[in-house]
Structures are given as C-alpha cells and as structure tokens.
C-alpha cells in the first residue's frame, strides 16, 4: 500500500483527486462523483457529435456552456471537476446536474436500444455502441459547428473549432489546462470574413457570419424555436445560411433533443441503400427520410448515431484509407463510411452532380464538334462537292 501511495497518480486517486501528468505539472483537482450507468464516455465523445474535447490524463477536458470541465470515467462512475455554470436556458445548477444533463444520463438507454429494428445490421451497431449517448449541446455552438463541418473531415472540424475558440472565445482554466469557450453569435457576427477565413473556414465564413448576425439581431431565435414541431423547426433551420437538411437534422438531434431526427449524408445514404433498400438507386431524399423515420421510429436519431459510429470505427480497422475522398475499390458499401472519407456532410453529392454536369457538357460539345468535322469531310470528298 505504501508503494502504491508513493505514486502521485495512485495518491491522487486515493484522495478522490485527479493528477494530469501530461501537462508537466503535478496539479490535483478535487473530483465530484456522478453515477453513470450504461454510459461510455470515451465512445460518446469520439462519435462525431462534438469536436472540442481533448484527452487529459485519465479523462478529458472541454467546456460545457461557459465553463471548463474535466471528466473521467471509472466503471459506472464519472468523476468531474468544475464549477456551477449555465447551459443554454438552464438556470444556475450544480456541477453534477450539469454534467448529467450534458451527457443525457437520464435517457433510458436500455429502452431506447430495445426500440431499434430487429435486423442484423442494427444489432451489430447496437452491440458495438453500448453506452453511447446523444449529448445535449448548446444550440448556437452546435449549429455553428455543423455549419463549419460542410465538406470537412472530422480532424479538420476539430481544427476549425479550436481555431474559432482560441481566437474569439473566452479563456477558462481547469487544473493546469487552458481551454476556450465557443464564441457567441455576437462575437462572430462582428468578425470580418478575413478573420474567419484565417480559422480555415473558407466559403463557410460567410455563412457562419450571416447566421451569427441573424441570431444576434434576434431575427432568428434559437431558444424560441424549441416550441416548434419537428417540421417547423427543420424549416426554420434550413432557412439559415449554410444549413441544409442534413445539418438541420444534426442540430435537431444534438441541440434540440429531437430523437426522431435522422441525419442522412452521402455515406449514411449509401448504408441505407445497400443494407436496407436492396441497392435501390432511384429514391428521392424525401423518400429516404420518410423510410428512415418510419423504419427506425421514435429513437431514429440514436439508431443513426449507432450505425454511423459502428461504420466509422469499422472502417478504421478494415484497411480502408481514412482520408481518401473516394471509396477504395476494395471497400464494401458498409466500409465506405463517413469518418473514413470525410465529415458528416451532404454537400459532396452536389459537388459530384456539378462535376457530372460539366462532364456531360464536355461530351456534348465534343460530339457536336465531331459531327461538324464529319459534315465538313463529307462536303470535301463527295461527288457533289467535286462537281
């Protein structure tokens, strides 16, 4: 026992404190225990919902609303450090209540999983993703982050999120670590496009700034939209600059807790067509949405997240290149998944359609040019031409 307690990490654990050796400082923090049955912290944070949490010691550091938080998991217990803070429209609450709310520890996960369709693909995803929960994110932070996600890989989204926070957010300290809050819509609305582009946003800078202005002016009221129906909320979100159906559904699921919302990007569409629709190619986006909402039911958002994460991690270990913009010829439809080839976006399909139209125009142009050449040749060699 003396040998164990002579180790700083063992000593910190014995006192219910955290020691973060990766910081270079022997900083300990008093930790609060939070019951967390049926929860996998690491998997949830790595499932493509949020992009700012970072590994620190035995846990993770990040922000919930305006405050810095450190959280780690030991079995069915979370141990967290932080202070009282606000999250969206919540009143001031304790660290325990805020962390439990953020990670949706009140969701009846067993009942949710029991409601999933009884098919082999869904069963495999459910068994693989045990403990994964849908995080309740602050509305503006979630909306802005997914506007920035368009046509970006997960690693790039993390870089953009970090750049925006470091440049425009407020500094917070947790233990020896410095973290930054996500900037307010007012702060980003007041930034120039040049400043935003320096955070690697590209064309997304204009959309983010325009949406920030609508929200900061009160023209778009994200809080009031909570009272809308799913259809009404989706319509409001899709009217914002840079927001399409996929991003709207992500925001509905992760920020508004609309658990029926089923984000469909090009890769999830591929999985649906291959695994559920018999490889059917001709089906509109509306029909795909109707199928997913009907087949996966009231907890379709959870089902989609499980399918997405299972496919993503499977692709990591399948030999499929993670950063390729096109599926490998050796990849199956199930392996050709979002994290392997790009972020959760629905813009790439439109880009490909544009490329297809361009190629079609070129083919028509070449066909017409060949016809003209043949006609000219006929005029030169025909008897009429020689007469």
């Amino acid at each position: 026992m003396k040998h164990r307690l002579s180790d700083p990490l063992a000593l910190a654990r014995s006192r219910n404190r955290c020691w973060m050796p990766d910081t270079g400082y022997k900083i300990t923090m008093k930790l609060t225990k939070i019951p967390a049955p049926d929860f996998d912290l690491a998997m949830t944070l790595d499932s493509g919902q949020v992009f700012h949490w970072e590994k620190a010691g035995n846990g993770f550091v990040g922000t919930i609303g305006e405050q810095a938080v450190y959280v780690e998991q030991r079995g069915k217990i979370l141990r967290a450090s932080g202070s009282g803070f606000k999250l969206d429209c919540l009143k001031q609450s304790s660290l325990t209540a805020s962390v439990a709310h953020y990670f949706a520890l009140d969701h009846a996960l067993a009942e949710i999983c029991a409601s999933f369709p009884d098919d082999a693909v869904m069963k495999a995803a459910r068994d693989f993703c045990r403990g994964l929960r849908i995080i309740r994110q602050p509305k503006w932070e979630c909306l802005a982050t997914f506007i920035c996600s368009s046509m970006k890989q997960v690693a790039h989204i993390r870089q953009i999120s970090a750049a925006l926070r470091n440049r425009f957010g407020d500094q917070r300290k947790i233990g020896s670590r410095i973290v930054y809050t996500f900037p307010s819509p007012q702060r980003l609305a007041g930034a120039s496009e040049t400043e935003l582009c320096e955070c690697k946003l590209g064309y997304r800078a204009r959309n983010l700034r325009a949406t920030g202005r609508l929200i900061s002016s009160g023209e778009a009221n994200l809080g009031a939209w909570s009272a809308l129906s799913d259809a009404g909320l989706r319509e409001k979100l899709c009217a914002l600059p840079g927001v399409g159906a996929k991003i709207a559904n992500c925001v509905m699921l992760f920020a508004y807790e609309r658990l029926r919302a089923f984000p469909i990007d090009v890769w999830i569409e591929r999985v649906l067509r291959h695994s559920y629709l018999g490889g059917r190619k001709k089906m509109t986006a509306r029909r795909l949405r109707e199928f997913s909402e009907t087949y996966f039911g009231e907890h379709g958002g959870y089902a989609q997240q499980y399918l997405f994460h299972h496919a993503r991690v499977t692709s990591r270990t399948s030999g499929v290149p993670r950063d390729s913009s096109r599926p490998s010829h050796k990849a199956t439809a199930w392996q050709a998944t979002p994290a392997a080839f790009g972020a959760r976006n629905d813009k790439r399909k439109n880009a490909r359609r544009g490329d297809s139209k361009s190629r079609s125009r070129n083919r028509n142009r070449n066909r017409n040019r060949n016809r003209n050449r043949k006609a000219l040749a006929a005029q030169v060699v025909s008897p009429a031409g020689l007469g």
Side-chain angles (χ1 to χ4, degrees):
M1 180 65 70
K2 290 182 179 180
H3 176 72
R4 285 186 61 200
L5 293 183
S6 65
D7 174 64
L9 187 56
L11 182 61
R13 286 174 177 169
S14 71
R15 295 177 178 173
N16 197 33
R17 293 175 180 269
C18 167
W19 182 60
M20 294 193 286
D22 58 323
T23 64
Y25 300 94
K26 296 180 180 179
I27 302 295
T28 62
M29 297 182 294
K30 185 176 181 181
L31 299 176
T32 299
K33 291 184 178 181
I34 305 170
D38 293 331
F39 182 54
D40 190 314
L41 174 65
M43 181 184 294
T44 298
L45 291 178
D46 186 45
S47 62
Q49 302 182 58
V50 290
F51 306 94
H52 70 280
W53 289 85
E54 298 179 357
K55 195 80 175 75
N58 295 308
F60 301 87
V61 291
T63 61
I64 297 179
E66 293 296 314
Q67 295 297 322
V69 175
Y70 169 86
V71 61
E72 66 182 32
Q73 185 168 18
R74 294 176 62 78
K76 296 182 179 181
I77 298 294
L78 292 182
R79 305 199 308 168
S81 180
S83 59
F85 45 82
K86 286 184 178 181
L87 176 63
D88 252 5
C89 299
L90 294 182
K91 296 179 179 179
Q92 199 78 5
S93 60
S94 69
L95 172 68
T96 298
S98 296
V99 170
H101 180 271
Y102 182 76
F103 289 115
L105 299 182
D106 58 318
H107 281 176
L109 201 57
E111 295 178 14
I112 290 173
C113 291
S115 73
F116 291 165
D118 188 22
D119 65 70
V121 175
M122 191 69 251
K123 282 182 179 179
R126 180 194 62 201
D127 293 343
F128 184 84
C129 296
R130 291 187 184 279
L132 194 162
R133 291 176 179 269
I134 299 296
I135 295 174
R136 290 185 178 107
Q137 298 182 42
K139 294 178 177 61
W140 161 245
E141 178 182 324
C142 180
L143 171 63
T145 300
F146 277 98
I147 288 176
C148 297
S149 76
S150 175
M151 293 185 70
K152 284 292 186 180
Q153 298 171 3
V154 171
H156 296 155
I157 303 172
R158 291 183 62 85
Q159 292 171 2
I160 290 174
S161 175
L164 287 173
R165 288 168 179 271
N166 292 343
R167 180 155 187 170
F168 301 106
D170 295 327
Q171 186 180 105
R172 299 287 187 269
K173 188 173 183 180
I174 182 75
S176 60
R177 296 289 290 262
I178 299 296
V179 296
Y180 294 85
T181 63
F182 194 83
S184 67
Q186 292 79 9
R187 183 72 181 88
L188 293 183
S192 67
E193 282 191 36
T194 300
E195 290 176 314
L196 293 174
C197 284
E198 289 173 354
C199 296
K200 310 299 183 184
L201 266 72
Y203 70 88
R204 303 160 198 81
R206 179 174 299 178
N207 291 331
L208 182 62
R209 186 165 175 252
T211 298
R213 287 182 169 181
L214 289 173
I215 294 170
S216 59
S217 69
E219 186 174 344
N221 189 331
L222 298 183
W225 291 357
S226 296
L228 297 175
S229 65
D230 286 357
L233 176 57
R234 185 180 291 109
E235 181 180 358
K236 288 286 189 181
L237 290 170
C238 286
L240 296 174
V243 179
K246 193 278 309 182
I247 290 177
N249 279 317
C250 283
V251 177
M252 289 173 66
L253 178 61
F254 302 133
Y256 286 88
E257 205 173 356
R258 304 300 175 92
L259 299 184
R260 292 186 67 96
F262 195 99
I264 301 176
D265 62 9
V266 64
W267 303 108
I268 290 297
E269 179 179 335
R270 183 189 295 268
V271 172
L272 288 176
R273 291 184 190 279
H274 173 77
S275 300
Y276 292 98
L277 302 172
R280 197 178 308 171
K281 293 182 179 180
K282 293 185 178 181
M283 183 173 284
T284 64
R286 178 181 176 182
R287 291 292 302 278
L288 278 174
R289 189 183 78 240
E290 290 174 348
F291 165 79
S292 63
E293 290 178 352
T294 301
Y295 184 76
F296 294 100
E298 61 180 326
H299 299 119
Y302 260 99
Q304 190 271 356
Q305 191 64 23
Y306 280 34
L307 289 170
F308 177 85
H309 185 64
H310 179 225
R312 179 185 180 210
V313 177
T314 300
S315 72
R316 290 178 181 174
T317 58
S318 66
V320 179
R322 291 185 61 188
D323 296 325
S324 171
S325 60
R326 294 177 182 270
S328 165
H329 292 298
K330 297 181 180 179
T332 65
W334 180 249
Q335 290 171 333
T337 53
F341 311 114
R344 310 184 67 163
N345 66 77
D346 52 356
K347 304 287 186 179
R348 192 169 289 161
K349 182 189 295 183
N350 294 334
R352 285 206 307 272
R353 285 175 178 167
D355 292 342
S356 178
K357 289 180 181 179
S358 178
R359 288 193 296 270
S360 179
R361 285 195 298 268
N362 289 337
R363 282 196 298 268
N364 291 335
R365 192 180 297 115
N366 291 335
R367 192 178 295 116
N368 292 334
R369 188 181 294 119
N370 290 335
R371 287 199 190 103
N372 292 336
R373 287 174 178 170
K374 290 180 180 179
L376 181 60
Q379 291 175 8
V380 172
V381 301
S382 67
L386 291 175

